[in-house]
Amino acid sequence: MEKISVFLVDYRKAPDGYVLVETIDECIELLQNFDIEHLSLDHDLLNKTRNGFMLVQKMVKEKLFANRITIHSANSVGGRSNV
C-alpha cells in the first residue's frame, strides 16, 4: 500500500510532500485507501459542525490509523480538545 502524508486544513496550503484535504470525508477516504505516514490536523474547518476532533473520534470508531498524528490548529482550546 502506498505511503502518503496528509494535511487536513481549510484555508492554508499543504507543505511540500503532503496531500491537501479540506474535509473529514476526503481524509477518511485516504485513511481507508492509503498507508498514512503523517496526518496533520486542523481543528477548525470551513464546516463548523465537523472538525478535526470529530475526525479523530471517527478514526477510533472505525479503527483507521496513521503512523503519526499532529495538530496544527491556531485554535488553542480546540487544538487541545481531548485528543
Side-chain angles (χ1 to χ4, degrees):
M1 187 177 287
E2 182 182 354
K3 283 190 176 189
I4 62 172
S5 292
V6 178
F7 200 76
L8 173 65
V9 71
D10 49 6
Y11 289 112
R12 294 178 268 176
K13 292 183 179 183
D16 289 340
Y18 283 75
V19 175
L20 173 67
V21 293
E22 296 178 337
T23 68
I24 291 173
D25 295 326
E26 291 174 316
C27 195
I28 289 170
E29 184 175 336
L30 292 177
L31 284 159
Q32 291 171 335
N33 294 297
F34 292 89
D35 183 8
I36 308 299
E37 181 60 37
H38 180 215
L39 176 58
S40 185
L41 302 176
D42 194 358
H43 180 274
D44 299 334
L45 301 171
L46 286 176
N47 182 335
K48 301 302 179 200
T49 62
R50 300 181 79 206
N51 57 42
F53 181 63
M54 293 171 145
L55 171 63
V56 171
Q57 291 174 312
K58 190 163 182 87
M59 288 173 66
V60 169
K61 181 179 178 183
E62 295 186 17
K63 294 181 175 50
L64 299 170
F65 302 100
N67 291 331
R68 181 170 57 109
I69 300 172
T70 57
I71 299 170
H72 61 258
S73 182
N75 179 337
S76 62
V77 175
R80 289 186 318 207
S81 62
N82 301 319
V83 178

Coordinates of all heavy atoms in Angstrom, one line a residue:
M1 N 0.9 -1.2 0.0 CA 0.0 0.0 0.0 C 0.9 1.2 0.0 O 1.9 1.3 0.7 CB -0.9 0.0 1.2 CG -2.0 1.1 1.2 SD -3.1 1.0 2.6 CE -4.1 -0.4 2.2
E2 N 0.6 2.2 -0.8 CA 1.4 3.4 -0.9 C 1.3 4.3 0.3 O 0.2 4.4 0.9 CB 0.8 4.2 -2.1 CG 1.6 5.5 -2.4 CD 1.1 6.3 -3.5 OE1 0.1 5.9 -4.2 OE2 1.6 7.4 -3.7
K3 N 2.5 4.8 0.8 CA 2.5 5.7 1.9 C 2.4 7.1 1.5 O 3.1 7.5 0.5 CB 3.8 5.5 2.7 CG 3.9 4.3 3.5 CD 5.1 4.3 4.4 CE 5.1 3.1 5.3 NZ 6.2 3.2 6.3
I4 N 1.5 7.9 2.2 CA 1.4 9.3 1.9 C 1.3 10.1 3.2 O 1.1 9.5 4.3 CB 0.2 9.6 1.1 CG1 -1.1 9.2 1.8 CG2 0.3 9.0 -0.3 CD1 -2.4 9.7 1.1
S5 N 1.5 11.4 3.2 CA 1.3 12.2 4.3 C 0.1 13.1 4.0 O 0.0 13.6 2.8 CB 2.5 13.0 4.7 OG 3.6 12.2 5.1
V6 N -0.7 13.4 4.9 CA -2.0 14.1 4.7 C -2.1 15.4 5.6 O -1.7 15.3 6.8 CB -3.2 13.2 4.9 CG1 -4.5 14.0 4.7 CG2 -3.1 12.0 4.0
F7 N -2.5 16.5 5.0 CA -2.6 17.8 5.7 C -4.1 18.2 5.6 O -4.6 18.6 4.5 CB -1.7 18.8 5.0 CG -1.4 20.0 5.9 CD1 -0.5 19.9 6.9 CD2 -2.0 21.2 5.6 CE1 -0.1 21.0 7.6 CE2 -1.6 22.3 6.3 CZ -0.7 22.2 7.4
L8 N -4.8 18.1 6.7 CA -6.3 18.5 6.7 C -6.3 20.0 7.2 O -6.0 20.3 8.3 CB -7.0 17.6 7.7 CG -8.5 18.0 8.0 CD1 -9.3 17.9 6.7 CD2 -9.1 17.2 9.1
V9 N -6.8 20.8 6.3 CA -6.9 22.2 6.6 C -7.9 22.9 5.6 O -8.1 22.3 4.6 CB -5.5 22.9 6.5 CG1 -5.0 23.0 5.0 CG2 -5.4 24.3 7.2
D10 N -8.4 24.0 6.0 CA -9.4 24.7 5.1 C -8.8 25.9 4.4 O -9.1 26.1 3.2 CB -10.6 25.1 5.9 CG -10.4 25.8 7.2 OD1 -9.2 26.1 7.5 OD2 -11.3 26.0 7.9
Y11 N -8.0 26.7 5.0 CA -7.6 28.0 4.4 C -6.1 28.0 4.0 O -5.7 28.8 3.2 CB -7.7 29.1 5.4 CG -9.2 29.5 5.6 CD1 -9.8 29.3 6.8 CD2 -10.0 30.0 4.6 CE1 -11.1 29.6 7.0 CE2 -11.3 30.4 4.8 CZ -11.8 30.2 6.0 OH -13.2 30.5 6.2
R12 N -5.3 27.1 4.4 CA -3.8 27.2 4.1 C -3.5 26.2 3.1 O -4.3 25.3 2.7 CB -3.0 26.9 5.4 CG -3.2 28.0 6.4 CD -2.4 27.7 7.7 NE -3.3 27.0 8.6 CZ -2.9 26.5 9.7 NH1 -1.7 26.5 10.1 NH2 -3.8 25.9 10.5
K13 N -2.3 26.3 2.6 CA -1.7 25.3 1.6 C -1.0 24.2 2.4 O -0.5 24.5 3.5 CB -0.7 26.0 0.7 CG -1.3 27.0 -0.3 CD -0.3 27.5 -1.2 CE -1.0 28.5 -2.1 NZ 0.0 29.0 -3.1
A14 N -1.0 23.1 1.8 CA -0.2 21.9 2.4 C 1.3 22.1 2.2 O 1.7 22.6 1.2 CB -0.7 20.6 1.8
P15 N 2.1 21.7 3.1 CA 3.5 21.7 2.9 C 3.9 20.8 1.8 O 3.2 19.9 1.4 CB 4.1 21.2 4.2 CG 3.0 21.2 5.2 CD 1.7 21.2 4.5
D16 N 5.1 21.0 1.2 CA 5.6 20.1 0.2 C 5.6 18.7 0.6 O 5.9 18.4 1.8 CB 7.0 20.5 -0.3 CG 7.0 21.8 -1.0 OD1 6.0 22.2 -1.6 OD2 8.1 22.4 -1.1
G17 N 5.1 17.8 -0.2 CA 5.1 16.4 0.1 C 3.9 15.9 0.8 O 3.7 14.7 1.1
Y18 N 2.9 16.8 1.0 CA 1.7 16.4 1.7 C 0.5 16.5 0.7 O 0.5 17.3 -0.2 CB 1.4 17.3 2.9 CG 2.2 17.0 4.1 CD1 3.5 17.4 4.1 CD2 1.6 16.4 5.2 CE1 4.3 17.1 5.2 CE2 2.4 16.1 6.3 CZ 3.7 16.5 6.3 OH 4.5 16.2 7.4
V19 N -0.5 15.6 0.9 CA -1.7 15.6 0.2 C -2.7 16.6 1.0 O -2.9 16.3 2.1 CB -2.4 14.2 0.0 CG1 -3.7 14.3 -0.6 CG2 -1.4 13.3 -0.7
L20 N -3.2 17.6 0.3 CA -4.2 18.5 0.9 C -5.6 17.9 0.9 O -6.1 17.5 -0.1 CB -4.1 19.9 0.2 CG -5.2 20.9 0.7 CD1 -4.8 21.3 2.1 CD2 -5.2 22.1 -0.3
V21 N -6.2 17.9 2.1 CA -7.7 17.6 2.1 C -8.3 18.7 2.9 O -7.8 19.2 3.9 CB -8.0 16.2 2.7 CG1 -7.5 15.1 1.8 CG2 -7.4 16.1 4.1
E22 N -9.6 19.0 2.6 CA -10.3 20.1 3.2 C -11.5 19.7 4.0 O -12.1 20.4 4.8 CB -10.7 21.1 2.2 CG -9.6 21.8 1.5 CD -10.0 22.8 0.4 OE1 -11.1 22.7 -0.1 OE2 -9.2 23.7 0.1
T23 N -11.8 18.4 3.9 CA -13.0 17.9 4.6 C -12.7 16.6 5.3 O -11.7 15.8 4.9 CB -14.2 17.6 3.7 OG1 -13.9 16.5 2.8 CG2 -14.6 18.8 2.9
I24 N -13.4 16.2 6.3 CA -13.3 15.0 7.0 C -13.5 13.8 6.1 O -12.8 12.8 6.1 CB -14.3 14.9 8.2 CG1 -13.9 15.9 9.3 CG2 -14.4 13.5 8.8 CD1 -14.9 16.0 10.4
D25 N -14.5 13.9 5.2 CA -14.8 12.8 4.3 C -13.6 12.5 3.4 O -13.3 11.4 3.1 CB -16.1 13.1 3.5 CG -17.3 13.2 4.4 OD1 -17.4 12.4 5.4 OD2 -18.2 14.0 4.1
E26 N -13.0 13.6 2.8 CA -11.8 13.4 2.0 C -10.7 12.6 2.8 O -10.0 11.7 2.3 CB -11.2 14.7 1.5 CG -12.1 15.4 0.5 CD -11.6 16.8 0.2 OE1 -11.2 17.5 1.1 OE2 -11.6 17.1 -1.0
C27 N -10.5 13.1 4.0 CA -9.5 12.5 4.9 C -9.8 11.0 5.2 O -8.9 10.1 5.1 CB -9.3 13.3 6.1 SG -7.8 12.9 7.1
I28 N -11.0 10.7 5.5 CA -11.4 9.3 5.7 C -11.2 8.4 4.5 O -10.7 7.3 4.7 CB -12.9 9.2 6.2 CG1 -13.0 9.8 7.6 CG2 -13.4 7.8 6.2 CD1 -14.4 10.0 8.1
E29 N -11.5 8.9 3.3 CA -11.2 8.1 2.1 C -9.7 7.8 2.0 O -9.4 6.7 1.6 CB -11.7 8.9 0.9 CG -11.6 8.1 -0.4 CD -12.2 8.8 -1.6 OE1 -13.0 9.7 -1.4 OE2 -11.7 8.5 -2.7
L30 N -8.9 8.8 2.3 CA -7.4 8.5 2.2 C -7.0 7.5 3.3 O -6.2 6.6 3.0 CB -6.6 9.8 2.3 CG -6.8 10.7 1.1 CD1 -6.0 12.0 1.3 CD2 -6.4 10.1 -0.2
L31 N -7.5 7.6 4.5 CA -7.2 6.7 5.6 C -7.6 5.3 5.2 O -6.9 4.3 5.6 CB -7.9 7.2 6.9 CG -7.2 8.4 7.6 CD1 -8.2 9.0 8.5 CD2 -6.0 7.9 8.3
Q32 N -8.7 5.1 4.5 CA -9.2 3.8 4.1 C -8.4 3.2 3.0 O -8.4 2.0 2.9 CB -10.7 3.9 3.7 CG -11.6 4.2 4.9 CD -13.0 4.5 4.5 OE1 -13.3 4.9 3.3 NE2 -13.9 4.3 5.4
N33 N -7.7 4.0 2.2 CA -7.1 3.5 0.9 C -5.6 3.7 0.9 O -5.0 3.2 -0.1 CB -7.7 4.2 -0.3 CG -9.2 3.8 -0.4 OD1 -9.5 2.7 -0.6 ND2 -10.1 4.8 -0.2
F34 N -5.0 4.3 1.9 CA -3.5 4.5 1.8 C -2.9 4.3 3.2 O -3.6 4.3 4.2 CB -3.2 5.9 1.4 CG -3.5 6.3 0.0 CD1 -4.8 6.7 -0.3 CD2 -2.6 6.1 -1.0 CE1 -5.1 7.0 -1.7 CE2 -2.9 6.4 -2.3 CZ -4.2 6.8 -2.7
D35 N -1.6 4.0 3.2 CA -0.9 3.9 4.5 C -0.4 5.3 4.8 O 0.4 5.9 4.1 CB 0.3 3.0 4.3 CG 1.1 2.8 5.6 OD1 0.7 3.3 6.6 OD2 2.2 2.2 5.5
I36 N -1.0 5.9 5.8 CA -0.7 7.3 6.2 C 0.5 7.4 7.1 O 0.4 7.0 8.2 CB -2.0 8.0 6.8 CG1 -3.2 7.8 6.0 CG2 -1.7 9.5 7.1 CD1 -3.2 8.4 4.6
E37 N 1.5 8.0 6.6 CA 2.8 8.2 7.3 C 2.6 9.3 8.4 O 2.9 9.1 9.6 CB 3.9 8.5 6.4 CG 5.2 8.7 7.1 CD 5.7 7.5 7.9 OE1 5.5 6.3 7.4 OE2 6.3 7.6 9.0
H38 N 2.1 10.4 8.0 CA 1.9 11.5 8.9 C 0.5 12.2 8.6 O 0.2 12.5 7.4 CB 3.0 12.6 8.8 CG 2.8 13.8 9.7 ND1 3.2 15.0 9.3 CD2 2.3 13.8 10.9 CE1 2.9 15.8 10.3 NE2 2.4 15.2 11.3
L39 N -0.3 12.4 9.6 CA -1.6 13.1 9.4 C -1.5 14.3 10.3 O -1.4 14.3 11.5 CB -2.7 12.2 9.9 CG -4.1 12.7 9.9 CD1 -4.5 13.2 8.5 CD2 -5.1 11.7 10.4
S40 N -1.6 15.5 9.6 CA -1.5 16.8 10.3 C -2.9 17.4 10.3 O -3.5 17.6 9.2 CB -0.5 17.7 9.7 OG -0.4 18.9 10.4
L41 N -3.5 17.6 11.4 CA -4.9 18.0 11.5 C -5.1 19.4 12.0 O -4.5 19.9 12.9 CB -5.7 17.1 12.5 CG -5.7 15.6 12.3 CD1 -6.4 15.0 13.5 CD2 -6.4 15.3 11.0
D42 N -6.0 20.1 11.3 CA -6.5 21.4 11.8 C -7.8 21.1 12.6 O -8.6 20.3 12.2 CB -6.8 22.3 10.6 CG -7.0 23.8 11.0 OD1 -6.9 24.1 12.2 OD2 -7.2 24.6 10.1
H43 N -8.0 21.8 13.7 CA -9.2 21.6 14.5 C -10.4 22.3 13.8 O -11.4 21.6 13.5 CB -9.1 22.1 15.9 CG -10.3 21.9 16.7 ND1 -11.4 22.8 16.7 CD2 -10.7 20.9 17.5 CE1 -12.3 22.4 17.5 NE2 -12.0 21.2 18.0
D44 N -10.3 23.5 13.5 CA -11.4 24.3 12.9 C -11.4 24.2 11.4 O -10.3 24.3 10.7 CB -11.3 25.8 13.3 CG -11.4 26.0 14.8 OD1 -12.0 25.2 15.5 OD2 -10.8 27.0 15.2
L45 N -12.5 23.8 10.8 CA -12.6 23.7 9.3 C -13.8 24.5 8.8 O -14.6 25.1 9.6 CB -12.9 22.2 9.0 CG -11.8 21.2 9.4 CD1 -12.3 19.8 9.2 CD2 -10.5 21.5 8.7
L46 N -13.9 24.7 7.5 CA -15.0 25.5 7.0 C -16.3 25.1 7.4 O -17.2 25.9 7.8 CB -14.9 25.5 5.4 CG -13.8 26.3 4.8 CD1 -13.8 26.1 3.3 CD2 -13.9 27.7 5.1
N47 N -16.6 23.7 7.5 CA -17.8 23.2 8.0 C -17.7 23.3 9.5 O -17.0 22.5 10.2 CB -18.0 21.8 7.5 CG -19.3 21.2 8.0 OD1 -19.9 21.6 9.0 ND2 -19.8 20.2 7.2
K48 N -18.4 24.2 10.1 CA -18.3 24.4 11.6 C -18.9 23.3 12.4 O -18.6 23.2 13.6 CB -19.0 25.8 11.9 CG -18.4 27.0 11.2 CD -17.0 27.1 11.5 CE -16.4 28.3 10.8 NZ -15.0 28.3 10.6
T49 N -19.7 22.4 11.8 CA -20.2 21.3 12.6 C -19.4 20.1 12.5 O -19.7 19.1 13.2 CB -21.7 21.0 12.1 OG1 -21.6 20.6 10.8 CG2 -22.6 22.2 12.3
R50 N -18.3 20.0 11.7 CA -17.5 18.9 11.6 C -16.0 19.4 11.6 O -15.6 20.1 10.8 CB -17.7 18.1 10.3 CG -19.2 17.7 10.2 CD -19.4 16.9 9.0 NE -18.9 15.6 9.1 CZ -18.6 14.8 8.1 NH1 -18.6 15.2 6.9 NH2 -18.1 13.6 8.3
N51 N -15.3 19.0 12.7 CA -13.9 19.5 12.9 C -12.9 18.3 13.0 O -13.3 17.2 12.9 CB -13.9 20.4 14.1 CG -14.4 19.7 15.4 OD1 -14.0 18.6 15.6 ND2 -15.2 20.4 16.2
G52 N -11.7 18.7 13.2 CA -10.6 17.7 13.3 C -10.8 16.7 14.5 O -10.4 15.6 14.4
F53 N -11.4 17.2 15.6 CA -11.6 16.3 16.7 C -12.6 15.2 16.3 O -12.5 14.1 16.7 CB -12.1 17.1 17.9 CG -12.3 16.2 19.1 CD1 -11.3 15.5 19.7 CD2 -13.6 16.1 19.7 CE1 -11.5 14.7 20.8 CE2 -13.8 15.3 20.8 CZ -12.8 14.6 21.4
M54 N -13.6 15.6 15.6 CA -14.6 14.7 15.1 C -14.0 13.6 14.2 O -14.4 12.4 14.2 CB -15.8 15.4 14.4 CG -16.6 16.2 15.3 SD -17.7 17.2 14.3 CE -19.1 17.2 15.4
L55 N -13.0 14.0 13.4 CA -12.3 13.1 12.6 C -11.6 12.0 13.5 O -11.7 10.8 13.2 CB -11.3 13.8 11.7 CG -10.3 12.8 10.9 CD1 -11.1 11.9 10.0 CD2 -9.3 13.6 10.2
V56 N -10.9 12.5 14.5 CA -10.2 11.6 15.4 C -11.2 10.6 16.0 O -10.9 9.4 16.1 CB -9.4 12.3 16.5 CG1 -8.8 11.4 17.5 CG2 -8.3 13.1 15.8
Q57 N -12.3 11.1 16.5 CA -13.4 10.2 17.0 C -13.8 9.1 16.0 O -13.9 7.9 16.4 CB -14.6 11.0 17.5 CG -14.3 11.9 18.7 CD -15.5 12.7 19.0 OE1 -16.0 13.4 18.2 NE2 -15.8 12.8 20.3
K58 N -14.0 9.5 14.8 CA -14.4 8.6 13.7 C -13.3 7.6 13.4 O -13.5 6.4 13.2 CB -14.8 9.3 12.5 CG -15.4 8.5 11.4 CD -16.2 9.3 10.4 CE -16.8 8.5 9.4 NZ -18.2 8.1 9.7
M59 N -12.0 8.1 13.5 CA -10.9 7.2 13.3 C -10.8 6.1 14.3 O -10.6 4.9 14.0 CB -9.6 8.0 13.3 CG -9.3 8.8 12.1 SD -7.9 9.9 12.3 CE -6.6 8.7 12.3
V60 N -11.1 6.4 15.6 CA -11.1 5.5 16.7 C -12.2 4.5 16.4 O -12.0 3.2 16.5 CB -11.2 6.2 18.0 CG1 -11.5 5.2 19.1 CG2 -10.0 7.0 18.3
K61 N -13.4 5.0 16.1 CA -14.6 4.1 16.0 C -14.4 3.1 14.8 O -14.7 1.9 14.9 CB -15.8 5.0 15.7 CG -17.1 4.2 15.5 CD -18.3 5.1 15.3 CE -19.5 4.3 15.1 NZ -20.7 5.2 14.8
E62 N -13.8 3.6 13.7 CA -13.6 2.8 12.5 C -12.3 2.1 12.4 O -12.0 1.4 11.4 CB -13.9 3.6 11.3 CG -15.3 4.1 11.2 CD -15.6 4.8 9.9 OE1 -14.9 4.6 8.9 OE2 -16.7 5.5 9.8
K63 N -11.5 2.3 13.5 CA -10.1 1.7 13.5 C -9.3 2.1 12.3 O -8.7 1.2 11.6 CB -10.2 0.2 13.7 CG -10.8 -0.3 15.0 CD -10.8 -1.8 15.1 CE -11.3 -2.3 16.4 NZ -12.5 -1.8 17.0
L64 N -9.2 3.4 12.0 CA -8.4 3.9 11.0 C -7.2 4.5 11.6 O -7.3 5.2 12.7 CB -9.2 5.0 10.2 CG -10.4 4.5 9.5 CD1 -11.3 5.7 9.0 CD2 -10.1 3.6 8.4
F65 N -6.0 4.3 11.1 CA -4.8 4.7 11.7 C -3.8 5.5 10.8 O -3.9 5.4 9.6 CB -4.0 3.5 12.2 CG -4.8 2.6 13.2 CD1 -5.5 1.5 12.7 CD2 -4.9 3.0 14.5 CE1 -6.2 0.7 13.6 CE2 -5.7 2.2 15.4 CZ -6.3 1.1 14.9
A66 N -3.0 6.3 11.4 CA -1.9 6.9 10.8 C -0.6 6.7 11.7 O -0.8 6.5 12.9 CB -2.1 8.4 10.7
N67 N 0.5 6.6 11.1 CA 1.7 6.3 11.8 C 2.0 7.4 12.8 O 2.6 7.2 13.9 CB 2.9 6.1 10.9 CG 2.8 4.8 10.1 OD1 2.2 3.9 10.6 ND2 3.4 4.8 8.9
R68 N 1.7 8.7 12.4 CA 2.0 9.8 13.3 C 0.9 10.9 13.1 O 0.5 11.1 11.9 CB 3.3 10.4 13.0 CG 3.7 11.6 13.9 CD 5.2 12.0 13.7 NE 5.5 12.4 12.4 CZ 5.8 13.6 11.9 NH1 5.8 14.6 12.8 NH2 6.1 13.8 10.7
I69 N 0.4 11.5 14.2 CA -0.7 12.5 14.1 C -0.2 13.7 14.8 O 0.2 13.6 16.0 CB -2.0 12.0 14.6 CG1 -2.5 10.7 13.9 CG2 -3.1 13.1 14.6 CD1 -3.7 10.1 14.5
T70 N -0.3 14.9 14.2 CA -0.1 16.1 14.9 C -1.3 17.1 14.6 O -2.0 16.9 13.7 CB 1.2 16.8 14.4 OG1 1.2 17.0 13.0 CG2 2.4 16.0 14.8
I71 N -1.4 18.1 15.5 CA -2.4 19.1 15.4 C -1.7 20.4 15.1 O -0.9 20.8 15.9 CB -3.3 19.1 16.6 CG1 -4.0 17.8 16.8 CG2 -4.3 20.3 16.5 CD1 -4.7 17.6 18.1
H72 N -2.1 21.1 14.0 CA -1.5 22.4 13.7 C -2.5 23.5 13.8 O -2.4 24.6 13.2 CB -1.0 22.3 12.3 CG -2.0 22.1 11.2 ND1 -2.1 20.8 10.6 CD2 -2.9 22.8 10.6 CE1 -3.1 20.9 9.7 NE2 -3.6 22.1 9.7
S73 N -3.5 23.4 14.7 CA -4.6 24.4 14.8 C -4.1 25.7 15.5 O -3.4 25.6 16.4 CB -5.7 23.7 15.7 OG -6.8 24.6 15.8
A74 N -4.7 26.8 15.0 CA -4.5 28.1 15.6 C -5.4 28.2 16.8 O -5.3 29.2 17.6 CB -4.6 29.2 14.6
N75 N -6.4 27.4 16.9 CA -7.4 27.4 18.0 C -6.8 26.7 19.2 O -6.7 25.5 19.3 CB -8.7 26.7 17.5 CG -9.7 26.7 18.6 OD1 -9.5 26.8 19.8 ND2 -11.0 26.5 18.2
S76 N -6.3 27.5 20.2 CA -5.6 27.0 21.3 C -6.5 26.1 22.2 O -6.0 25.1 22.7 CB -5.0 28.1 22.1 OG -6.0 28.9 22.7
V77 N -7.8 26.3 22.2 CA -8.7 25.5 23.0 C -9.0 24.2 22.2 O -8.9 23.1 22.7 CB -9.9 26.2 23.4 CG1 -10.9 25.3 24.1 CG2 -9.6 27.4 24.3
G78 N -9.5 24.4 21.0 CA -9.9 23.3 20.1 C -8.7 22.4 19.8 O -8.9 21.2 19.7
G79 N -7.6 22.9 19.6 CA -6.4 22.1 19.3 C -6.0 21.2 20.4 O -5.3 20.2 20.2
R80 N -6.4 21.5 21.6 CA -6.1 20.6 22.8 C -7.2 19.7 23.1 O -7.1 18.7 23.9 CB -5.8 21.4 24.0 CG -4.6 22.2 24.1 CD -4.4 22.8 25.4 NE -5.8 23.3 25.8 CZ -6.0 24.3 26.6 NH1 -5.1 24.9 27.1 NH2 -7.2 24.7 26.8
S81 N -8.4 19.9 22.5 CA -9.6 19.2 23.0 C -9.6 17.7 23.0 O -9.9 17.0 22.1 CB -10.8 19.7 22.1 OG -10.6 19.3 20.8
N82 N -9.1 17.2 24.1 CA -9.2 15.7 24.4 C -8.6 14.8 23.4 O -8.9 13.7 23.4 CB -10.7 15.3 24.6 CG -11.4 16.1 25.7 OD1 -10.8 16.4 26.8 ND2 -12.6 16.5 25.5
V83 N -7.7 15.3 22.6 CA -7.1 14.5 21.6 C -5.9 13.8 22.2 O -5.1 14.4 22.9 CB -6.7 15.3 20.3 CG1 -6.0 14.4 19.3 CG2 -7.9 15.9 19.7

